[in-house]
Amino acid sequence: MLLIIDTRIEGIIRERILVSYYRYSAQKAAAGDSNIDDVCKLLRSTGFSNAPGAKRPPNYPESYFNRVHINSDFINMVIGRLRSDDIYNQISAYPLPEHRSTALATQASMLYVILYFEPEILHNQQAKMREIVDKHFPDNWVISVYMGMPVNLLDAWSTYKAASTALNNTLETGNVREQATKYANKVVKLHTPLEKYLKEGVLTEEFVLDNIPKMMNVMRDSNVTLRWLMLHTSTLSPSKCMMRDSNVTLWWLMLHTSALSPSKCMMRDSNVTLWWLMLHTSALSPSKCAMRDSNVTLQWLMLHTSALSPSKCVMRDSNVTLQWLMLHTSAVSPSKCVMRDSNVTLQWLMLHTSALSPSKCVMRDSNVTLQWLMLHTSALSPIKCVMRDSNVTLRWLMLHTSALSPSKCVMRGQQCYSPVAYVAYISSLS
């Protein structure tokens, strides 16, 4: 009730309603049995807003619920009962193990709300949160707290360390792909028996009595599938427009990632990849911008590194190289500039040391040499300057003693000389 009030009626409106009620009920207020002070304390503004772009207030909604103290032991007993028992005896109605989260959905939504009365569990008690997620949210991350009030756990638990860590197992790419594919396949699979049962004149009393087990299985599967699809494609509040758009995308992807012929598997996998990437590239806080940018980069790279025909293998390998290089050449702190510069150098080198035709082997070998030299001639500490200078000398010598034409074999043959002897040799030639 408190969450619905705060969602549907803004704090300033609640305060005006209370003031108006108090002014027009002076007789009751004067009787001495009024609880107006407690009600005002409970319903005063929390700072929460549904406006687009509004930020979530700190410690919300646990600070909101904490306005009226409730015994901590009692709360822990309620949480323990909800997380361990089937209080509504729904398991018998949903005997299949894959339907367990649906059977426990009602108490799962209660558990979601009551956990805010004991935020220590959400923040630090990873074992309990792992147990709760594994039992109640192993295959779903959007729940219905009340009619018309869905909640996305990815957004609601983002500020709680233990809760978000436990939920990461549900949101793994493999699990998300498995759930999307499973329910998309069920939509196609259940369409045939539903059409059969819903034809005019089929559902007679005798037919229903003779086929109760089969019909119950189809109805149960249909309800579970429809519930999952509706929750995970539901429209959220304006402040969560980006997540709503992700759900619309998810709806499209689920319809387009159903079981396809082998020739279309690549498209299906690409759609699943795109789904994962879009969910993980939503707007994040400034402290997470680097992760967002990495995800955007990863999206581009994964889409451009899909399996290609043999004639395009070189392009594919270049994209894989580019993926590694781009991830390792992002902006780093000043203390890591040397590593960044080395990565930039490595990017250039790797792009120029790809497999070449036999006629270009000399150039390839030179590039390999250059890679080794450039990596070993980076800025070093003062005590290593001698080694650096030696590397610079070695680099110059190796670059100028590469494989040359036959007319220059004499010069090539001098590559084993020491630097001093080589300088003397060049002088004698001049």
Side-chain angles (χ1 to χ4, degrees), residues 56-62 116 119 122-124 153-165 285 288:
R56 180 176 173 180
N59 301 321
Y60 180 88
E62 57 264 32
Y116 286 120
L122 292 169
H123 281 292
N124 300 318
L153 297 179
L154 177 64
D155 179 64
W157 284 352
S158 60
T159 58
Y160 305 99
K161 181 179 179 181
S164 58
T165 301
S285 60
K288 298 181 181 178

Side-chain angles (χ1 to χ4, degrees), residues 242 278-285 288 292:
M242 183 166 297
M278 292 184 72
L279 289 179
H280 289 78
T281 55
S282 57
L284 305 175
S285 60
K288 298 181 181 178
R292 180 189 59 198

Side-chain angles (χ1 to χ4, degrees), residues 34-183:
S34 172
N35 294 317
I36 188 66
D37 292 336
D38 294 332
V39 175
C40 288
K41 176 184 176 182
L42 182 62
L43 296 182
R44 72 176 185 267
S45 178
T46 61
F48 175 81
S49 175
N50 262 337
K55 293 184 178 181
R56 180 176 173 180
N59 301 321
Y60 180 88
E62 57 264 32
S63 59
Y64 183 27
F65 291 168
N66 199 37
R67 291 176 178 179
V68 175
H69 179 70
I70 300 178
N71 187 280
S72 179
D73 292 336
F74 172 72
I75 294 174
N76 284 319
M77 289 177 64
V78 173
I79 292 175
R81 182 71 188 275
L82 286 172
R83 79 173 197 213
S84 60
D85 298 338
D86 177 19
I87 62 176
Y88 292 109
N89 298 319
Q90 291 295 303
I91 296 295
S92 58
Y94 295 90
L96 293 179
E98 62 185 29
H99 295 163
R100 185 176 65 173
S101 61
T102 304
L104 302 176
T106 303
Q107 67 188 70
S109 62
M110 296 173 61
L111 183 59
Y112 160 77
V113 176
I114 295 176
L115 281 172
Y116 286 120
F117 287 91
E118 192 65 28
E120 176 66 18
I121 297 178
L122 292 169
H123 281 292
N124 300 318
Q125 298 188 23
Q126 294 188 7
K128 288 184 179 179
M129 286 307 306
R130 179 65 182 272
E131 178 187 353
I132 290 171
V133 171
D134 287 347
K135 184 172 183 179
H136 297 279
F137 312 111
D139 55 1
N140 63 98
W141 55 92
V142 179
I143 64 173
S144 176
V145 176
Y146 191 66
M147 292 186 296
M149 190 176 175
V151 173
N152 192 314
L153 297 179
L154 177 64
D155 179 64
W157 284 352
S158 60
T159 58
Y160 305 99
K161 181 179 179 181
S164 58
T165 301
L167 194 62
N168 285 339
N169 297 318
T170 298
L171 296 174
E172 284 184 352
T173 309
N175 186 55
V176 171
R177 182 190 296 113
E178 179 184 353
Q179 300 305 322
T181 305
K182 179 177 75 173
Y183 287 107

Side-chain angles (χ1 to χ4, degrees), residues 350-373:
M350 292 184 71
L351 290 177
H352 290 76
T353 55
S354 57
L356 304 175
S357 60
S359 62
K360 297 182 181 178
C361 284
V362 174
M363 180 178 176
R364 181 189 60 197
D365 295 338
S366 299
N367 282 328
V368 173
T369 303
L370 182 60
Q371 175 181 353
W372 189 91
L373 291 169

